[in-house]
Every structure is written in C-alpha cells, then in structure tokens.
C-alpha cells in the first residue's frame, strides 16, 4: 500500500499556512508546515515530499534562496516547487522564480481550485512513482530468488502473474493521468514528469516480459529507477 504523500508548505505567516491547509485538506494527504527556509530545509533532510509550496517573501532566507538550496541537494533536487508570491511582479521577477527551479509561479490571492488542481497532479505523479518503485523491488526480489516481508511466498509463475497484474494497474492509471494532462493543457513540467514515468513503466514491463518461461531473462534486464 502506498502511504499518503507529504506536501511541504513554507510561509513565515501562520495565517497563510492555515489558508493553505484549508485549501489542500480535501486532497487527504499529509500537510507539513515550515515557517522559514531553514525549517523547510531541515524537514527535507528526513522526509520525502511530493511537492513544495514555497512563499517568495520571507525574512532571512527568502524563497529563491531556499529553492536554490533544495535544487543543490541530490535528495531533493527533483521535488516540484510551486512559488507563491504577493508581489506585483514583472517578467523579470517571474523569470527569477523559474530560474530558481520552480515548476509554477502563482500570485496571491490565488484561486483555491486552481492551486488544489495543480498540487493534485504532482501528488498523483508522486504516488505512481512510489508504486513503480514497489513493483521494481518485487521484480528484483523475484529475479534474485528472495522473499519480501509483505509478499506470501509463491511459485515463480504465480508471482510473475501477480507482478504483471499489479504493473498493468499502474500502467492503466499512468495512461489515464497522461490523457488528463493533455486535456487540461497542464504545466510542461507535469507533462514531462508523466512522460518520464511512462518510460520507466515501459522498461519495467519489458523486464517482466523477459522473465516469461523460455526467454532467459536475468536481473540485468531490470531498468534503472533513478
């Protein structure tokens, strides 16, 4: 079972954090507060997050500097960042946000429905990646002849069939998500992430197919999950 995704909310004003929690509570995910850039970086040391909502204007380390630190860390560089700002910015200010690694740049006050929809896309992509990693781990165990605490020991053919069925479910969900992104003219970053996920699914499916009796597949057939 994939656990709830964690969403990091970074803002120095408690009332803004409260508002974000009210907007995103309908997604039924785990919302984590950080009242400064330093606090956000500390949270990112131990937890994995699906997406980060980051205020631009904060005392001390502002949103741009915080994003720069996040993107420099190997562990966190691929986490999507949505900048939130109350500044009446021009093109240069927006460009600075994207240059810092943001996937989106939203001005306050923002439409709650739009923000929730954008965040939900990245949560779905995160969930699909978690499922994909789980299937890859199970497949690797099968290739190595090992067992998994959460999997009842089965005959190889039975386990292959179960893995194939699980992977098919993830493939179906990923395809539906990609169609949804195309229909809604979503952010380029979300579309690119979905395409990357589909490529990894294709590689995993090929590896699984190679394990069918008579194909002579081996652990080297497994795709990289980076």
């Amino acid at each position: 079972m994939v656990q709830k995704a964690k969403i990091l909310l970074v803002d120095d004003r408690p009332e803004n954090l409260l508002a974000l929690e009210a907007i995103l509570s309908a997604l039924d995910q785990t919302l984590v507060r950080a009242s400064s850039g330093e606090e956000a970086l500390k949270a990112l040391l131990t937890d994995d997050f699906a997406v980060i909502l980051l205020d631009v204007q904060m005392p001390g380390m502002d949103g741009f500097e915080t994003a720069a630190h996040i993107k420099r860390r190997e562990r966190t560089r691929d986490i999507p960042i949505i900048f939130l700002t109350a500044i009446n910015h021009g093109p240069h200010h927006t460009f600075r946000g994207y240059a810092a690694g943001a996937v989106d740049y939203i001005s306050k006050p923002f439409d709650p429905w739009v923000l929730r929809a954008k965040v939900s896309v990245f949560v779905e992509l995160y969930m699909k990646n978690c499922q994909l990693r789980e299937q890859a781990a199970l497949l690797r165990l099968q290739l190595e002849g090992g067992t998994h605490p959460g999997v009842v020991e089965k005959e190889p053919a039975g386990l292959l069939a179960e893995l194939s069925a699980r992977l098919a479910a993830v493939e179906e969900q990923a395809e539906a998500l990609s169609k949804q992104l195309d229909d809604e003219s979503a952010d380029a970053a979300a579309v690119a992430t979905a395409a990357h996920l589909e490529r990894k699914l294709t590689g995993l499916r090929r590896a699984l197919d190679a394990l069918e009796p008579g194909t002579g597949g081996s652990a080297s057939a497994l795709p990289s999950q980076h």
Side-chain angles (χ1 to χ4, degrees), residues 5 50-52 79-82 103-104 117-129 177 181 187 189-191 193:
V51 62
I52 302 169
I79 302 177
I81 298 174
I82 298 177
V103 297
D104 211 336
K118 288 177 180 291
V119 171
S120 70
V121 168
F122 289 107
V123 168
E124 284 192 66
L125 289 170
Y126 175 81
M127 292 295 201
K128 298 302 176 291
N129 271 298
L177 180 58
L181 290 174
D187 298 320
V191 174
T193 304

Side-chain angles (χ1 to χ4, degrees), residues 7-200:
I7 302 170
L8 184 58
L9 314 176
V10 190
D11 199 304
D12 63 299
R13 300 174 68 90
E15 62 271 25
N16 290 343
L17 291 171
L18 190 63
L20 288 174
E21 287 176 338
I23 292 170
L24 300 176
S25 60
L27 298 179
D28 193 29
Q29 304 300 324
T30 302
L31 306 177
V32 179
R33 284 188 175 202
S35 58
S36 66
E38 291 84 356
E39 192 175 332
L41 294 176
K42 187 177 296 184
L44 287 162
L45 287 174
T46 54
D47 289 325
D48 293 324
F49 291 90
V51 62
I52 302 169
L53 274 63
L54 181 57
D55 183 42
V56 171
Q57 285 185 297
M58 295 186 293
M61 185 185 296
D62 67 10
F64 295 130
E65 188 178 353
T66 302
H69 281 288
I70 292 171
K71 292 302 178 182
R72 278 199 293 266
R73 293 179 179 176
E74 184 175 356
R75 174 188 172 92
T76 58
R77 65 177 56 165
D78 294 325
I79 302 177
I81 298 174
I82 298 177
F83 271 135
L84 305 176
T85 177
I87 303 173
N88 184 15
H89 55 78
H92 176 73
H93 201 82
T94 304
F95 174 77
R96 187 181 175 193
Y98 287 117
V103 297
D104 211 336
Y105 200 105
I106 303 177
S107 298
K108 304 174 186 176
F110 42 76
D111 186 330
W113 292 95
V114 171
L115 179 64
R116 188 160 52 237
K118 288 177 180 291
V119 171
S120 70
V121 168
F122 289 107
V123 168
E124 284 192 66
L125 289 170
Y126 175 81
M127 292 295 201
K128 298 302 176 291
N129 271 298
C130 287
Q131 290 177 327
L132 180 57
R133 284 195 296 269
E134 180 186 345
Q135 305 314 312
L138 289 171
L139 179 55
R140 188 170 283 107
L141 279 167
Q142 170 64 20
L143 290 168
E144 295 170 355
T147 58
H148 189 278
V151 177
V152 177
E153 192 169 351
K154 299 183 178 182
E155 291 297 322
L159 185 52
L160 280 175
E162 180 180 328
L163 285 170
S164 181
R166 290 190 186 187
L167 182 57
V170 180
E171 288 171 330
E172 184 178 346
Q173 293 168 347
E175 183 180 358
L177 180 58
S178 294
K179 288 181 179 178
Q180 177 186 338
L181 290 174
D182 289 340
D183 293 342
E184 296 177 357
S185 300
D187 298 320
V191 174
T193 304
H196 180 60
L197 175 63
E198 287 193 335
R199 287 195 297 273
K200 291 198 290 184

